[in-house]
């Protein structure tokens, strides 16, 4: 079997996979690791961007083949599935039966186990919170304790540590999820263009109260007078159109170019063209996959950043400092001419997650992709980190490949509790980097 890696392709530590096709094989492998110190890590479909999915030993249990339904109650919208099932595979069945994920990230190619381990969030965090809030229970295999049933009422502390626990508390074998009912697979979409950050904050506050889903694309290389201009998309599930799961796309980037396809000139041009082509539009219907998963239309899109890969920078900043911090972040990015075409702003609400290390907090999140350019990228990130730190914000571990240990430990004070609950046979390069610096 070929080696595996992170979605950002940085840092480059090829992972040697141990394929697991049945749950008992996972349990047997976990027991074989009993008494060992940090010999592996569970690995799903490789959609984590940085090094949280990379084992310190570079040996992982490949969970992707475990993608079966164990039980499905389509009357109540309650399903039990194996951890290697992707969100898209789940949706193929659930949409036809009138159900949808209450929370979904920006890709349907993430696995259920990965969604739990990273406690993913979506465009409706202010309404539904994180993915972990909709997990009824899970089955967890540990090298030292065997197979445990975990829920908010049974092994509750381990359940809370596993939600957002980055795959370190054990290997998730299966999970029971509560879905949400839908009458349609279409999204009723409203598109609004804004000319600067101030307009975004005014518009987004109003739309959060009226719509379930809100997300904005931002031109991070706009002229200073239009800093933060962009397009906001607000949506809700339609109540009349038919339910139909969309087929998975087969288009893909066939090869990795020798250099990134995006550079300073092409980014400025693309951003400007995109902004001016996306005027304010009245409500219209859009397929769910185009609204939630636009990047999934092109498989292996991470190759466009070239052989050195890329890093995603995602932070969240409390509401009280959000407008000033976002202004400072975008100003720093513009001054460095290190723009990102994929620049996303969205609001996070105050619904708490059960996860010890859940990323969202009440505030505003900004996510951007940067080609890996060595010291240039590291220098920019040091400036962005200082802005986030001074604003009382934090970075997203599932997307990170550079965070200082001091910043992680300050932003996630429950890390010591997670460390005490970590399966001694599991350790990622991320956890080794941020807890042992």
């Amino acid at each position: 079997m070929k080696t595996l890696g992170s979605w950002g392709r940085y840092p480059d530590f090829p992972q040697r996979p141990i394929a697991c096709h049945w749950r008992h094989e996972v349990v047997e492998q976990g027991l074989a690791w009993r008494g060992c110190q940090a010999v592996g890590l569970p690995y799903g479909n490789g959609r984590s961007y940085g090094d949280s999915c990379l084992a310190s030993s570079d040996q992982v249990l490949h969970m992707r083949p475990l993608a079966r339904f164990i039980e499905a109650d389509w009357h109540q919208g309650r399903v039990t599935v194996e951890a290697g099932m992707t969100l898209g595979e789940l949706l193929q069945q659930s949409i036809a039966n009138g159900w949808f994920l209450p929370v979904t990230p920006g890709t349907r190619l993430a696995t259920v186990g990965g969604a739990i381990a990273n406690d993913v969030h979506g465009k409706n965090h202010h309404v539904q919170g994180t993915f972990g809030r909709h997990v009824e229970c899970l089955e967890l295999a540990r090298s030292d304790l065997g197979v445990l049933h975990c829920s908010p009422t049974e092994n509750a502390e381990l359940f809370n540590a596993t939600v957002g626990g980055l795959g370190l508390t054990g290997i998730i074998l299966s999970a029971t999820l509560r879905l949400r009912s839908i009458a349609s697979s279409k999204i009723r979409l409203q598109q609004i263009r804004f000319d600067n950050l101030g307009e975004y904050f005014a518009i987004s506050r109003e739309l959060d109260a009226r719509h379930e889903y809100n997300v904005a694309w931002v031109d991070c290389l706009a002229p200073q007078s239009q800093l933060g201009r962009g397009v906001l998309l607000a949506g809700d599930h339609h109540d009349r159109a038919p339910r139909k799961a969309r087929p998975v796309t087969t288009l893909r980037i066939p090869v990795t170019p020798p250099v990134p396809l995006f550079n300073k000139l092409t980014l400025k041009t693309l951003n400007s063209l995109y902004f001016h082509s996306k005027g304010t539009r009245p409500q219209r219907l859009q397929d769910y996959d185009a609204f939630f998963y636009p990047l999934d239309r092109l498989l292996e899109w991470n190759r466009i950043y070239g052989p050195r890969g890329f890093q995603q920078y995602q932070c969240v900043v409390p509401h009280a400092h959000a407008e000033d911090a976002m202004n400072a972040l975008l100003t720093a990015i513009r001054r460095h001419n290190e723009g990102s075409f994929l620049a996303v702003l969205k609001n996070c609400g105050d619904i708490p997650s059960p996860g010890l290390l859940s990323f969202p907090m009440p505030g505003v999140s900004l996510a951007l992709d940067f080609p890996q350019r060595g010291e240039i990228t590291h220098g920019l990130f040091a400036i962005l980190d200082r802005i986030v730190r001074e604003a009382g914000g934090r970075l997203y571990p599932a997307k990170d490949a550079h965070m200082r240990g001091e910043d992680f430990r300050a932003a996630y004070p429950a890390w010591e509790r997670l460390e005490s609950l970590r399966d001694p046979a599991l350790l990622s390069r991320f956890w080794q980097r941020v807890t042992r610096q």
Side-chain angles (χ1 to χ4, degrees):
M1 182 180 290
K2 67 178 182 179
T3 58
L4 304 171
S6 73
W7 185 246
R9 309 176 79 189
Y10 175 87
D12 184 20
F13 293 105
Q15 303 291 289
R16 302 183 304 274
I18 300 172
C20 295
H21 297 276
W22 302 97
R23 296 194 297 281
H24 72 83
E25 293 177 341
V26 179
V27 175
E28 290 167 0
Q29 183 62 51
L31 292 176
W33 286 349
R34 179 182 295 173
C36 300
Q37 292 297 312
V39 299
L41 197 71
Y43 183 102
N45 203 28
R47 258 50 192 184
S48 293
Y49 284 64
D51 54 4
S52 66
C53 64
L54 306 179
S56 62
S57 65
D58 297 329
Q59 178 178 268
V60 293
L61 280 181
H62 194 199
M63 302 293 291
R64 180 68 184 97
L66 278 76
R68 306 172 187 89
F69 279 90
I70 298 173
E71 186 177 357
D73 181 346
W74 297 122
H75 294 290
Q76 299 294 322
R78 185 174 181 269
V79 296
T80 302
V81 299
E82 291 181 324
M85 178 176 286
T86 66
L87 303 182
E89 289 167 341
L90 174 54
L91 288 172
Q92 284 289 315
Q93 299 298 319
S94 67
I95 289 175
N97 286 281
W99 300 92
F100 200 80
L101 292 165
V103 172
T104 181
T107 177
R108 60 182 171 188
L109 299 176
T111 63
V112 169
I116 297 170
N118 293 291
D119 197 19
V120 298
H121 61 284
K123 300 173 177 68
N124 62 344
H125 183 268
H126 62 293
V127 176
Q128 295 284 3
T130 64
F131 195 91
R133 292 188 65 250
H134 308 277
V135 179
E136 285 194 353
C137 59
L138 56 86
E139 192 178 27
L140 190 71
R142 288 183 57 105
S143 66
D144 54 351
L145 301 173
V147 178
L148 301 173
H149 185 274
C150 300
S151 74
T153 58
E154 183 178 0
N155 293 311
E157 188 175 32
L158 194 53
F159 175 84
N160 295 340
T162 301
V163 173
L166 305 174
L168 296 168
T169 60
I171 301 165
I172 301 171
L173 300 176
S174 65
T176 299
L177 311 176
R178 298 183 304 275
L179 305 179
R180 59 167 299 167
S181 63
I182 55 170
S184 167
S185 57
K186 298 282 188 177
I187 298 297
R188 190 172 60 250
L189 175 67
Q190 183 176 3
Q191 178 177 295
I192 300 175
R193 191 167 71 181
F194 52 91
D195 290 325
N196 52 57
L197 269 180
E199 284 191 16
Y200 164 76
F201 280 94
I203 294 170
S204 65
R205 281 192 292 268
E206 176 188 348
L207 293 183
D208 273 357
R210 292 165 40 197
H211 299 282
E212 177 169 355
Y213 300 104
N214 284 303
V215 67
W217 170 86
V218 177
D219 180 359
C220 58
L221 291 176
Q224 189 67 33
S225 61
Q226 292 182 291
L227 186 70
R229 70 182 182 184
V231 180
L232 193 150
L233 302 176
D236 299 279
H237 289 280
H238 191 47
D239 56 3
R240 288 187 298 274
R243 297 190 302 262
K244 184 179 180 182
R246 299 282 294 177
V248 177
T249 181
T250 56
L251 296 175
R252 68 175 63 238
I253 300 292
V255 296
T256 301
V259 296
L261 296 184
F262 289 144
N263 57 45
K264 300 170 188 176
L265 177 61
T266 59
L267 275 173
K268 284 186 177 180
T269 302
L270 284 171
N271 282 7
S272 180
L273 287 173
Y274 185 83
F275 174 75
H276 289 291
S277 69
K278 298 291 183 181
T280 297
R281 298 178 60 178
Q283 287 191 358
R284 58 190 170 92
L285 294 184
Q286 186 176 52
D287 289 326
Y288 75 92
D289 60 325
F291 181 75
F292 290 109
Y293 315 119
L295 293 180
D296 287 348
R297 294 176 173 183
L298 187 61
L299 301 178
E300 309 293 345
W301 62 263
N302 56 343
R303 291 177 173 175
I304 66 176
Y305 290 98
R308 298 180 71 181
F310 73 102
Q311 292 191 59
Q312 181 166 113
Y313 190 97
Q314 184 165 3
C315 64
V316 61
V317 174
H319 286 298
H321 307 292
E323 189 164 355
D324 288 342
M326 294 302 158
N327 192 305
L329 290 168
L330 292 176
T331 297
I333 291 166
R334 184 178 179 278
R335 285 176 178 169
H336 278 72
N337 280 323
E338 289 294 317
S340 167
F341 181 69
L342 302 172
V344 177
L345 268 175
K346 57 188 174 186
N347 291 338
C348 295
D350 57 4
I351 301 174
S353 166
L356 289 183
L357 299 188
S358 186
F359 162 71
M361 65 167 69
V364 179
S365 170
L366 175 66
L368 312 101
D369 290 346
F370 296 94
Q372 174 56 26
R373 302 187 194 276
E375 289 305 315
I376 294 175
T377 305
H378 296 315
L380 173 61
F381 282 10
I383 296 172
L384 303 183
D385 287 353
R386 176 181 54 78
I387 295 169
V388 173
R389 185 186 314 125
E390 292 176 354
R394 59 191 180 205
L395 306 183
Y396 193 6
K399 306 288 184 69
D400 179 70
H402 80 279
M403 194 188 326
R404 299 189 318 161
E406 304 96 296
D407 287 342
F408 171 77
R409 295 189 293 271
Y412 296 93
W415 75 270
E416 290 180 291
R417 189 59 192 146
L418 180 63
E419 171 63 14
S420 71
L421 295 168
R422 179 173 62 86
D423 186 322
L426 304 179
L427 183 64
S428 66
R429 287 186 174 273
F430 170 85
W431 196 252
Q432 188 175 49
R433 170 168 60 86
V434 299
T435 63
R436 301 185 181 183
Q437 286 181 1

